[in-house]
């Protein structure tokens, strides 16, 4: 697919999972919950590149100190 100006690029669930480094099931959960918008083509989903970029920019980030709270100390 060429990157022409003004044309939206659509990604498959597998491509989105690869970009986000998560499982396909995680992507499907985001789609079904409405957190990540998509277009349905038959039985498949396609996610606009712009929607994925927006989701990644605006999703909640975890601060390093919050990550440590979930760990058990030895």
């Amino acid at each position: 697919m060429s990157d022409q100006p003004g044309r939206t690029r659509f990604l498959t669930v597998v491509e989105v999972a690869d970009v986000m480094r998560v499982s396909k099931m995680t992507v499907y959960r985001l789609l079904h919950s409405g957190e990540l918008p998509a277009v349905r083509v038959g039985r498949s989903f396609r996610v606009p590149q712009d929607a994925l970029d927006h989701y990644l920019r605006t999703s909640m980030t975890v601060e390093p100190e919050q990550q440590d709270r979930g760990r058990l100390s030895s």
Side-chain angles (χ1 to χ4, degrees), residues 20-62:
M20 294 178 69
R21 299 184 67 129
V22 297
S23 70
K24 290 188 305 183
M25 186 54 65
T26 298
V27 176
Y28 282 118
R29 284 187 196 114
L30 292 170
L31 296 176
H32 289 293
S33 72
E35 291 182 66
L36 185 61
V39 174
R40 194 146 189 177
V41 180
R43 295 180 63 194
S44 302
F45 289 97
R46 296 295 182 266
V47 178
Q49 178 75 55
D50 294 343
L52 177 59
D53 293 341
H54 180 264
Y55 177 80
L56 293 174
R57 267 194 321 274
T58 59
S59 63
M60 206 167 118
T61 58
V62 178

Side-chain angles (χ1 to χ4, degrees), residues 2-8:
S2 62
D3 291 325
Q4 297 176 1
R7 278 192 100 162
T8 302

